[in-house]
Each structure stands twice: as structure tokens, then as C-alpha cells.
Amino acid sequence: MNFTLTEEQEALRKLVRDFAMKEVAPSAAQRDEEEVFDRAIFNKMGRIGLTGIPWPEEYGGAGLDFVSYVIAVEELSRVCASTGVTLSAHLSLASWPIFKFGTEEQKQKYLRPLALGEKLGAYGLTEPSAGTDAASLRTTAVRDGDEYILNGTKMFTTNGGEADIYVVFATTDASKKAKGVTAFIVEKGMPGFTFGKKEKKMGIRSSPTVELIFDQCRVPMANVLGEEGQGFKIAMMTLDGGRNGIAAQALGIASGALDAALEYAKTRTQFNRPITDFQAIQFKLADMAKQVEAARLLTYQAAWLEDNQLPYGKASAMAKVFASDAAMYVTTEAVQIHGGYGFTRDYAVERFMRDAKITQIYEGTNEVQRIVIAGHVLKD
Amino acid sequence: MNIIVCIKQTFDTEAKISLENGAVKEDGVQFILNPYDEYAVEEALKIKEEQGGEVTVVTVGPARVEEAIRTALAMGADEAIHIEDEAAYGDEYTIAEVLAAAIRQKSYDLILAGNQAVDDGSGQVAVRLAQLLDIAHISTITKLEIHGTQVVAERDAEGDTEIAEASLPVLVTAQQGLNEPRYPSLIGIRKASKKPLTKLTLADLGLSADAVGRKVTPVEVFLPAAKGAGRILEGDTAMRVQELVRELRQTSKVL
């Protein structure tokens, strides 16, 4: 057992922390306030290689591992959870299934520009009436010659509208339920593919969450990802790993909130003493620190399992539930330590607390994660 | 074009400095590549990209400085020389002598360094090095152009810009504004660990500890006095002026 990061992983953390402080943090509060996505930040992430961390160099990646990837999402989320989820959705949800199930041609055409950060990716599974029950999709794909015609609506798509490449799930045979789902790679600009409502959200407000509308959208057969009918499996396997990206995002939010609370508590004085002299504050900080540390270990472990080609579904579900609950707890306590100031938008902990909530909901609610964990525990 | 960049690892500019046993305490401090040296590395890489060549970084210091070396290699430098020897960590005289001995073993056209290090800010080492190597130097440059063997640099001269010309080989020191240093790339980080890093001691350089021993010894190291609260002078104008003059004479002794 070895809990030490490699020299490369340490260098990556330092780089991403420096990048996050200089390029992401300064505009985070304003982007949140104005609910704007800044593509320039994503482009800069592409230039240093963050957009393709675990993919081999032949596909435009940096050739690093998944531990490096979760460290990067953690460090970005420490200052801006919206930027963290932009990367997580781009890499775990859009790029991963293309890397895993794409043909060589699809990898060169789609994975490569995604990895280089020239293109931004998104993932369209959720529908108005198919959230947790993902097999009951209503978006249809009907074969017509060398093409499929897609019709339907996807909602809550992270990076939606801004992304160039979408991995979209539609049913090619509704009678087969889950086994009738097929995955497609759809490009922004394909006729019949438009964007609908942009959600007004509580948190992660500089990450766009948008409706995708398919109206007689023709997608070439060459854009089927995997095989016809394999879509549900692809969707679920993608979420298995994707949820560890969310664990990393939650971990980053919690870690950022803990740091902010520590800094505030050290400088805030009441009754002529810094409030860190009071045991009530010390106990809060101790509990927050242990939650952050445990979340980190679970998240890194799940990534390590994936790097070592070991089963990671259970570990990533545990990491996701634990880290997101930790994020909600730590950010709430961070606001509490800040007192009235923490409730104002002048302090980052207010944003962190709003950002934390979604991590308990998306990429499989924490209730679903518990079903996944229970399934593993009962089977093992 | 063979380019050598002299670098130094320094404290993070955000670091809180504390003392222990008359020396700056290193525990828990983040170290970085000296920001002025980062400009020097960036400039070397730009020249290499335009004109071809090799970039070698050279530094003196304990094992921890390897992290700064890896940063420069991850940015794109080709190889590194690390002089790791207790007897080499002296003053500016020592470091310049040690660097000169190491650089004399290499062939070079251009030497770059930061104008100063953000820790002690003496700004002496690079200029001493040029003297020892008997080559020209242009300090605090904000622009550099190289055509063949002709070098034209703009240098920061107390707020004005001075244009200096020289021919290769030359040593130049980088001032803020010279360029915008790139971030290391992730591929760069991965490749940095495989790039050649030569470790040398004084013996390898044919130097004796006595010959390069420090010429300057710090007598005392202390933190600046904490800044006191301001004081607002009261009374009418005449009284306030009188009080101000008295303060300047007696308390701060500037008059």
C-alpha cells in the first residue's frame, strides 16, 4: 500500500492549482452572478492538456492516468465548481464512451479534437420523463438508408449549447426497452438539432444546462457509437466512471470551502480572541477536515482501480455519495463559521454551498448510488 | 543555437516568512521557480522554437530544487544540470564561480537568467557570471531579437527604454514584461521525468570548497518590524506642521 502521489501527479496538481488560481478563480464569482460560460477558459485548459488527461497521445491526450484526472477536477472545483463539471462532463461523459466504444475512425474524428480541447463534449441521456429510469427513453432513432432520423428532447444537458460533440442516446426499438437503446455521436449544427431552454439554476451557474431538441435530425450510420442496441450498456458504463468525476468535483468544493473556513476562522476575532480559540469552531473544523480527507481517499481509490483495470463501479458509487454528502456538509458548516458574512455573496462559501447541492443529484442521485452499492454489497 | 538558462528555486511569493535559529524557516513553505527565471526560460524556448537549438537549464541547490528543474523541463527545456553540493551554497560570488565552471564545460551561444531572484533580490549572480566567462551582458531586458550573431535588446532603464546591441555569445537577464511564460503542459510534465538531468559536485567541476567559499557572511537575519497603526495629527495647521516636523526629526529620523 502506498498513499504517495507520483512525482508527475504532484507536478500536475501544482500546475492545475496555479492555473486555477490565475485563470479560473478571478472570474468565478462574476461568471456565477451573470450565469455565463467562458469558452476561453476551456480553450486554455486545452492548451495545457487538461481536456484529454487520460487518453493516449495518438488520440491527442496527455497519456496520464485517471488519478491525475480526478486531481485536476478537484483542483478546478476548489475555486470554481462550474469549471470542474465542464471538464468532468467533457471528459468522463462525452470522451470516455468514444474512447471505450468508438471505432478508430470515430476516435480520430471526434476523440482527438475533444482531447486537444479544440472541441467541447456533452452527453444527452436524461429526458423530461426519463431521469433515474433511463431505460424508458422517448427519443427515437429510425433507420433510413445510411442514416438514422432522431426525434425527441433531452434535458439537463451539461455543456449543452456550448458543446460541439454530443453523445446522445435514443431508442431504436422501444419494444426491447433497455436493449433497444442505441448511442449516437451528434455534431452541433447537424440539421434538425437545436437547443431549447437554458435552465436557471441554484448552483454551478456558469456551467450551461440546456435542452437538446431533435426534430427529424439525420445522423449518419457512421456515427452510431458501439452497436445498435448497446446504448443502455454504454450509458450505464459511462456513468460508472463519470460519477467519480462528480466525486472529484464534490471533493474540490469541500476542500475549497474548508480552506476558506480555516482562513476566515484564523483572522476573525470575537471577545478579543480569534474564533479558532473556541472549541465549538475547532470541532467544526476537525469534522470538516476528516470528511474532506475521507472523500479524497475514496475518490482517488476509485480512480486508481480504473487505472489498474480493476472493477471500480462500487468504489465510484461510494466515492460519489460520500464526497457529495461531504461537500454539502462542509459547505454548510463553512457558511456557519462565516456567520452572517457567509450568507452574503461577498464570500465564496455562499457559492460553494449552492454548488454543492447538485453533486448529490446528478450523474445518478445519491439514492440510486446507494442502490448500486447495495447491489454490490449483497452480491459480494 | 545552444542556450543556457540559469535558474533558482525560491519561496513562493505568497509564502509567509518566519525565522528559526537565525535563518529563514523552510518547513511548510511552497517553493517555486523564481518568476524572473520563468521569463528567461520562456524566452529561451521561444528562440528555440523560432531558430532551433537546445535549451539547458543550470541550477545550484539542495535536492528540493529538482522540482524547479522539472518545471523548466516540463515547459520545454531539453536537459538540465544540477550542482548539488553543500560547499556550493555560498553567496553570489560562490554561485557565480560554480555556474561558470559548469558552463565552461558546455558550448553556448546565449545565456539567459532572471534579472534577480525574488528571495534575496541581489541581482548579482548573472552579471558576475558574464564577467567570469568574459562575455558581454545586457541586463533587465524587456525585448530580445537575434539575427545571426547580432543581438538587439531593449532594456528597462529606470522607466525609460534603452536599446543595447551585442554579438553572440552574450548573457542577458530577464525583466518583467519580456514575455508571458507558458504553463508547463501535461505531456511536458510526463516527458520531464525522462529528460537528461546531470548531477554534479564541486569535485566534478574541479573546484575546491576553499576556492569558492563565501566572501560575505550574514551577521543577522531579522524580520522587518511590524507595521504600527497610523496616527492622525490633531490641532490647527500650525500645530500639526510642528508636530509632523518633530515626528520626522525624532521618531523616524528622516530629517
Side-chain angles (χ1 to χ4, degrees):
Chain A
M1 176 147 291
N2 184 354
F3 288 102
T4 317
L5 295 178
T6 66
E7 204 175 272
E8 277 173 17
Q9 288 159 348
E10 285 289 1
L12 169 128
R13 180 192 293 286
K14 201 167 178 181
L15 165 63
V16 183
R17 182 165 292 197
D18 189 35
F19 178 87
M21 288 311 291
K22 287 184 189 146
E23 310 290 342
V24 184
S27 61
Q30 196 186 353
R31 282 183 285 107
D32 170 71
E33 187 76 25
E34 295 172 2
E35 302 188 49
V36 292
F37 172 77
D38 185 358
R39 181 68 177 248
I41 293 176
F42 179 79
N43 293 343
K44 284 180 189 169
M45 282 159 54
R47 281 200 282 279
I48 62 172
L50 291 178
T51 47
I53 295 171
W55 318 130
E57 267 188 75
E58 58 193 291
Y59 300 125
L64 295 171
D65 53 14
F66 281 91
V67 171
S68 299
Y69 162 61
V70 294
I71 292 172
V73 174
E74 175 192 351
E75 288 298 331
L76 293 170
S77 304
R78 236 177 114 248
V79 303
C80 174
S82 293
T83 305
V85 78
T86 299
L87 179 61
S88 180
H90 167 84
L91 203 146
S92 287
L93 298 187
S95 310
W96 188 89
I98 300 176
F99 175 70
K100 201 79 183 171
F101 298 98
T103 61
E104 183 59 30
E105 200 186 346
Q106 287 171 337
K107 286 183 197 172
Q108 289 301 340
K109 186 172 177 189
Y110 295 113
L111 181 60
R112 198 177 161 76
L114 287 169
L116 292 169
E118 295 164 358
K119 297 280 169 76
L120 174 64
Y123 174 90
L125 175 66
T126 300
E127 296 184 0
S129 57
T132 295
D133 179 13
S136 63
L137 295 180
R138 295 222 182 127
T139 298
T140 57
V142 177
R143 177 84 178 269
D144 181 38
D146 286 348
E147 295 171 322
Y148 282 86
I149 303 170
L150 267 64
N151 278 292
T153 302
K154 295 288 175 184
M155 70 185 306
F156 295 149
T157 305
T158 301
N159 294 347
E162 301 290 343
D164 310 288
I165 295 167
Y166 296 76
V167 173
V168 174
F169 299 86
T171 175
T172 36
D173 187 347
S175 68
K176 288 188 188 163
K177 294 268 181 185
K179 293 209 159 85
V181 176
T182 303
F184 296 89
I185 304 171
V186 184
E187 293 178 45
K188 185 181 186 173
M190 282 183 166
F193 175 28
T194 54
F195 305 107
K197 186 183 165 209
K198 184 183 172 205
E199 304 297 340
K200 291 182 180 166
K201 306 193 298 294
M202 174 199 270
I204 55 162
R205 286 159 44 122
S206 69
S207 156
T209 308
V210 169
E211 206 172 42
L212 313 180
I213 300 166
F214 300 95
D215 179 14
Q216 294 294 108
C217 174
R218 289 180 168 271
V219 178
M221 256 182 71
N223 283 32
V224 170
L225 185 60
E227 286 163 25
E228 197 180 292
Q230 207 188 359
F232 190 73
K233 187 183 133 196
I234 294 176
M236 292 303 116
M237 282 180 68
T238 302
L239 291 177
D240 254 356
R243 62 173 70 109
N244 205 37
I246 300 307
Q249 183 205 18
L251 164 62
I253 297 169
S255 160
L258 172 61
D259 288 351
L262 279 169
E263 197 180 312
Y264 181 82
K266 282 183 196 163
T267 51
R268 171 73 174 172
T269 57
Q270 288 289 279
F271 309 102
N272 294 321
R273 295 196 271 170
I275 60 171
T276 45
D277 277 6
F278 302 111
Q279 209 171 43
I281 299 296
Q282 291 175 4
F283 279 14
K284 278 191 197 305
L285 291 169
D287 283 336
M288 291 158 76
K290 83 176 157 46
Q291 290 296 102
V292 169
E293 204 52 49
R296 183 171 288 124
L297 290 173
L298 280 173
T299 305
Y300 288 10
Q301 177 184 241
W304 179 88
L305 288 168
E306 183 163 9
D307 284 329
N308 288 280
Q309 278 95 44
L310 293 165
Y312 56 86
K314 181 175 79 174
S316 66
M318 286 179 167
K320 198 269 187 186
V321 176
F322 192 91
S324 60
D325 287 350
M328 201 64 246
Y329 167 78
V330 172
T331 55
T332 305
E333 290 293 72
V335 168
Q336 192 69 22
I337 289 172
H338 279 68
Y341 290 113
F343 196 64
T344 70
R345 280 187 239 169
D346 295 335
Y347 285 81
V349 288
E350 181 272 342
R351 171 165 52 93
F352 291 157
M353 184 174 164
R354 285 186 287 107
D355 287 346
K357 184 61 208 173
I358 189 61
T359 63
Q360 294 178 309
I361 299 171
Y362 62 12
E363 292 197 31
T365 62
N366 280 9
E367 290 71 25
V368 162
Q369 306 303 335
R370 288 184 170 93
I371 295 173
V372 172
I373 297 165
H376 282 284
V377 172
L378 292 170
K379 194 178 68 190
D380 291 350
Chain B
M1 172 100 57
N2 289 319
I3 308 169
I4 288 172
V5 187
C6 303
I7 62 169
K8 181 178 185 182
Q9 187 191 47
T10 58
F11 279 30
D12 188 341
T13 44
E14 308 273 305
K16 281 208 175 78
I17 306 293
S18 56
L19 300 179
E20 193 177 60
N21 304 325
V24 178
K25 203 174 153 189
E26 291 193 359
D27 295 354
V29 170
Q30 287 275 351
F31 289 95
I32 56 167
L33 173 58
N34 175 37
Y36 291 95
D37 299 348
E38 238 181 322
Y39 301 130
V41 173
E42 174 63 32
E43 198 64 16
L45 296 175
K46 276 169 65 182
I47 296 165
K48 178 192 154 184
E49 281 158 6
E50 283 160 21
Q51 315 198 0
E54 288 257 311
V55 175
T56 305
V57 294
V58 187
T59 193
V60 181
R64 64 166 162 78
V65 310
E66 209 177 304
E67 198 184 324
I69 294 174
R70 295 289 172 206
T71 300
L73 293 174
M75 286 171 76
D78 299 289
E79 60 173 299
I81 298 169
H82 176 192
I83 298 124
E84 191 181 346
D85 190 327
E86 280 288 334
Y89 318 147
D91 58 7
E92 292 83 355
Y93 161 80
T94 312
I95 303 288
E97 288 283 350
V98 171
L99 286 175
I103 291 170
R104 278 193 198 103
Q105 297 183 343
K106 306 268 300 174
S107 75
Y108 57 87
D109 304 295
L110 176 67
I111 301 175
L112 286 141
N115 163 52
Q116 59 177 330
V118 293
D119 48 12
D120 53 27
S122 78
Q124 290 187 34
V125 171
V127 182
R128 283 173 176 269
L129 172 63
Q131 187 80 24
L132 291 170
L133 296 173
D134 198 21
I135 59 173
H137 82 265
I138 310 171
S139 61
T140 56
I141 64 161
T142 52
K143 192 177 176 189
L144 180 64
E145 279 180 27
I146 300 170
H147 306 286
T149 57
Q150 279 311 108
V151 177
V152 183
E154 286 183 10
R155 62 184 300 270
D156 185 10
E158 309 283 327
D160 282 325
T161 301
E162 192 173 60
I163 296 173
E165 293 183 356
S167 25
L168 296 178
V170 67
L171 180 147
V172 298
T173 68
Q175 169 68 310
Q176 190 171 13
L178 177 62
N179 53 44
E180 188 62 46
R182 69 195 67 189
Y183 289 99
S185 73
L186 300 197
I187 291 182
I189 286 176
R190 223 185 74 225
K191 293 192 169 156
S193 53
K194 283 149 204 126
K195 288 180 176 173
L197 167 59
T198 310
K199 300 253 185 191
L200 297 174
T201 60
L202 289 193
D204 297 327
L205 295 170
L207 294 173
S208 73
D210 290 346
V212 296
R214 58 164 63 244
K215 303 271 188 192
V216 176
T217 307
V219 179
E220 191 191 349
V221 177
F222 56 92
L223 293 173
K227 203 174 157 197
R231 185 181 152 210
I232 294 170
L233 303 178
E234 282 167 10
D236 62 24
T237 307
M239 280 168 70
R240 280 183 289 158
V241 169
Q242 213 168 26
E243 180 59 11
L244 178 62
V245 172
R246 195 193 62 81
E247 278 283 338
L248 291 174
R249 274 216 176 102
Q250 294 178 4
T251 312
S252 38
K253 298 190 169 73
V254 292
L255 293 180

